[in-house]
Amino acid sequence: MRAERNNLAEMIAQAQGKKPASLVIRNVSIFNLITGKIQRGDIALCGDRIAGVGGPYRGERELDGTGLTAVPGFIDAHVHVESSMVTPFEFERCVLPHGVTTAICDPHELANVAGTRAIDYFLECARRMCMDLRIQICSCVPSTSLETAGAVLGAEELRRYAAEPLSCGLAEFMNVPGILTEDPEVLAKLELFRNRVDGHCPQLTGKALDACLAAGVRNCHESHSLAEAEEKLARGMQVLIREGSVARNLDALLPLITVGNSPFLCFCTDDRNPLDIAETGHLDHLIARAISGGADPLAVYRVACWSPAVHFGLSDRGLIVPGRRADLVLLSDLERCQVAKVLKDGVVVDEQRFAARGVPPDPSQFLNTIRCGEVSAEQFRVHSTRSRTPVIGIRPLSLLTDFLERDLPLVEGCKPCLPQEDIAKIAVLERHGRNGNIAVGFVKGFGMKSGAIASSVGHDSHNLCTVGVSEEDMALAVNALRETGGGFSVAVNGRVLDLLPLPVGGLLSCHDFETVAEELRRIHAAVKATGCPLETPFLQLAFLPLPVIPSLRITDRGIVDVEKFAFVAP
């Protein structure tokens, strides 16, 4: 208590200029997100807090801010670190220099493989990291009963995390049917985290949307159209505007970003791979695109900095005012969001700061998680007596799919691929050693002319998934992942063209993000040999096993009509 009182006295003295501040950023333009005005002056920091704004101030250390504009640190309102394909320590090396000082993280990718051990691992990482990584507690492991995951987390398993100080609540609640049918296990989870529940409500409307809000779901990052987002906003649901590597909703939702709406909006990336971050950026890219699209800079920076702080109860950040946390981004260009320097807790972010973190938590407990047998081409054959066939229709750069139907020929009692009509086979193979399930179906939109690709990233249960126009190459691509412990693979004409290993849970690399970005660039180039033109083929594939986003999906248990929450015959 005495130490806290001394620190408070020190801050008061520095705020009045009676003592030199720990650090002064001199002659900087300060963007006030309350008034919308830009003020030139000093920012005085006392340790990890802002002591004063305006000045002039004296500092033990000084930083010249001439020509720069200071804004609060950015907050990613919903992110799966695993989609960066690197460990949390590498994730912050990747995104903190882009101004992301806080991220609301849902670790349910690794949790679907390893259960509570994954949550504990992320919490331990968060305790040692520079950036503030808030760990939401995984709500739906697995996402539904229509798939097989490596773990099952019920209310009792989650109970010990209900008061976790590094968490802002329950992570995205995907089991909407469980809410609407008042499933007792679902209600028990919601009760544990009452009114601290993140949402996942794609295309939900009317009374069903009301029911989720009444259950305590408070936000959603799955709005794909302006009308959908406007209805959620009008009902009091915080709308998280997402711009990931596959799901990109900013253009559709851009008209929402006004000064009036800004308190009820946040930005998020959800799933963004390291290559996209390296080439175009993170939230800084989203901010620049929103402003270039015509949104008011005050509204945009409120959505990026202040609104998520308020929404998630992080009242110590989001504004550059005395007493708030010294999470600051210095920009050389406000409208283009060009980051010149980042301060987290009053310390400049650089490699020296990252080196001071010490040894990261050991992820080796998540190795060797591919526990399925070798597969053969015969296992990808679809035996049938009818030609009418459900086909998953993908939408490039969207998570939504279409429920298509096609008449496929029967060749010796089996349905073949039709590459000339852009119809390939897709399969999901249970890989957690639970039951050995294999489901096979058909998909349109990959544009493949030959070969196959495979992935151990298959949301959210992360079973092995493969798509191709050659059953032999599908088997080859899958078996390559068995041998390497997971990742991405490409096979064409009986040969593995490339392989990106992700041995940590079949989801993460042991390498730095620069190496992974280069490996991803290389394997994307290899996919071109199949004829596939998609920008992010592995992420597009990875979301097809997720049975909580309309309309047609495939899990290890079969083809799922998401609207009916039921299986359909292939």
Side-chain angles (χ1 to χ4, degrees):
M1 181 65 73
R2 180 173 295 176
E4 291 179 7
R5 187 173 297 166
N6 290 340
N7 290 341
L8 183 59
E10 190 75 13
M11 182 180 292
I12 292 170
Q14 291 184 19
Q16 297 179 84
K18 293 179 178 179
K19 290 185 177 181
S22 306
L23 173 67
V24 171
I25 305 172
R26 284 204 173 281
N27 196 35
V28 66
S29 297
I30 304 158
F31 193 11
N32 189 314
L33 299 189
I34 301 171
T35 66
K37 295 179 180 179
I38 296 177
Q39 167 194 1
R40 184 178 298 278
D42 297 345
I43 303 174
L45 308 184
C46 177
D48 64 356
R49 300 285 165 157
I50 299 170
V53 176
Y57 285 100
R58 296 174 296 122
E60 295 173 0
R61 292 175 297 117
E62 296 186 355
L63 182 65
D64 184 13
T66 303
L68 302 177
T69 301
V71 297
F74 309 145
I75 300 175
D76 191 335
H78 176 74
V79 63
H80 302 286
V81 167
E82 300 96 320
S83 291
S84 70
M85 303 191 299
V86 292
T87 62
F89 266 45
E90 273 304 300
F91 171 76
E92 76 166 347
R93 275 195 65 244
C94 188
V95 305
L96 188 49
H98 289 275
V100 182
T101 55
T102 302
I104 311 299
C105 163
D106 176 2
H108 75 202
E109 317 301 355
L110 192 58
N112 268 278
V113 176
T116 57
R117 288 188 296 124
I119 300 175
D120 294 338
Y121 168 73
F122 268 85
L123 285 169
E124 186 55 37
C125 287
R127 294 184 186 104
R128 306 185 197 183
M129 290 167 65
C130 303
M131 74 181 296
D132 193 350
L133 193 69
R134 294 293 167 134
I135 309 302
Q136 302 298 77
I137 306 306
C138 308
S139 65
C140 298
V141 176
S143 67
T144 71
S145 60
L146 302 175
E147 58 195 315
T148 305
V152 177
L153 298 184
E156 282 309 306
E157 286 78 14
L158 303 185
R159 185 177 299 279
R160 67 184 173 100
Y161 299 108
E164 170 56 52
L166 282 178
S167 175
C168 297
L170 196 61
E172 58 173 315
F173 210 96
M174 295 176 288
N175 189 1
V176 172
I179 294 177
L180 301 181
T181 58
E182 304 162 41
D183 179 277
E185 179 65 23
V186 166
L187 298 183
K189 292 178 181 178
L190 295 174
E191 192 67 40
L192 279 175
F193 296 85
R194 183 176 284 274
N195 296 320
R196 295 185 297 131
V197 181
D198 293 344
H200 175 105
C201 308
Q203 300 185 337
L204 207 63
T205 186
K207 291 181 178 178
L209 179 58
D210 286 349
C212 285
L213 283 159
V217 174
R218 57 184 181 162
N219 60 51
C220 180
H221 59 279
E222 290 288 351
S223 298
H224 295 265
S225 71
L226 183 60
E228 179 183 3
E230 286 176 334
E231 181 179 2
K232 291 171 180 173
L233 201 65
R235 279 174 154 80
M237 180 174 271
Q238 193 89 7
V239 172
L240 313 187
I241 299 175
R242 171 178 57 190
E243 192 75 359
S245 287
V246 174
R248 302 180 186 180
N249 308 127
L250 176 61
D251 288 343
L253 305 185
L254 190 59
L256 276 185
I257 306 175
T258 64
V259 172
N261 285 342
S262 61
F264 311 104
L265 304 174
C266 303
F267 287 137
C268 75
T269 58
D270 196 5
D271 301 280
R272 193 160 177 83
N273 70 51
L275 181 56
D276 285 345
I277 298 170
E279 292 183 343
T280 62
H282 200 260
L283 285 189
D284 51 344
H285 170 67
L286 205 164
I287 291 165
R289 284 203 49 232
I291 295 173
S292 69
D296 187 319
L298 174 59
V300 172
Y301 280 99
R302 280 183 175 177
V303 173
C305 310
W306 172 71
S307 301
V310 173
H311 179 66
F312 289 101
L314 303 173
S315 59
D316 63 344
R317 68 201 71 189
L319 296 170
I320 302 179
V321 294
R324 299 294 174 105
R325 187 172 294 277
D327 292 354
L328 304 171
V329 182
L330 304 183
L331 304 172
S332 59
D333 189 308
L334 181 71
E335 294 199 355
R336 291 192 291 173
C337 196
Q338 293 186 339
V339 178
K341 198 175 293 291
V342 179
L343 288 85
K344 177 71 182 90
D345 295 330
V347 179
V348 173
V349 173
D350 54 21
E351 285 301 324
Q352 183 178 355
R353 177 70 184 90
F354 289 131
R357 296 173 301 182
V359 179
D362 183 9
S364 63
Q365 61 180 305
F366 306 115
L367 300 178
N368 305 312
T369 61
I370 308 297
R371 303 186 183 103
C372 61
E374 185 174 357
V375 297
S376 64
E378 288 74 19
Q379 291 172 280
F380 298 112
R381 291 179 182 167
V382 178
H383 298 273
S384 183
T385 57
R386 62 187 184 90
S387 61
R388 200 65 174 166
T389 305
V391 176
I392 301 170
I394 69 166
R395 302 183 190 180
L397 302 182
S398 174
L399 300 188
L400 298 175
T401 64
D402 297 312
F403 190 151
L404 308 176
E405 289 190 298
R406 295 290 186 271
D407 288 315
L408 300 184
L410 296 176
V411 179
E412 297 180 353
C414 295
K415 295 179 179 180
C417 303
L418 295 178
Q420 67 275 18
E421 297 182 23
D422 190 17
I423 295 179
K425 281 188 175 176
I426 181 170
V428 177
L429 304 87
E430 190 276 321
R431 60 102 157 176
H432 304 291
R434 298 294 178 106
N435 52 39
N437 285 344
I438 299 179
V440 186
F442 293 88
V443 62
K444 180 177 177 65
F446 276 87
M448 288 182 169
K449 306 301 181 186
S450 62
I453 64 174
S455 170
S456 58
V457 179
H459 299 279
D460 280 335
S461 289
H462 297 293
N463 289 305
L464 294 174
C465 48
T466 178
V467 63
V469 294
S470 162
E471 294 158 354
E472 289 75 16
D473 287 334
M474 291 171 74
L476 187 61
V478 168
N479 288 329
L481 296 184
R482 286 183 63 251
E483 295 172 6
T484 195
F488 302 151
S489 62
V490 185
V492 177
N493 296 329
R495 186 167 67 92
V496 175
L497 296 188
D498 206 353
L499 186 65
L500 194 165
L502 299 173
V504 179
L507 303 171
L508 308 176
S509 172
C510 297
H511 297 305
D512 57 47
F513 77 86
E514 295 93 342
T515 299
V516 177
E518 188 53 43
E519 289 176 336
L520 192 57
R521 181 182 286 109
R522 187 192 67 217
I523 201 167
H524 279 175
V527 173
K528 301 299 182 186
T530 70
C532 176
L534 296 177
E535 183 180 331
T536 55
F538 290 101
L539 271 178
Q540 200 86 52
L541 169 61
F543 282 100
L544 296 183
L546 183 57
V548 293
I549 299 179
S551 291
L552 195 63
R553 301 281 156 171
I554 181 171
T555 74
D556 65 295
R557 294 187 57 198
I559 300 169
V560 179
D561 180 342
V562 178
E563 306 288 351
K564 296 180 179 179
F565 213 57
F567 293 105
V568 296

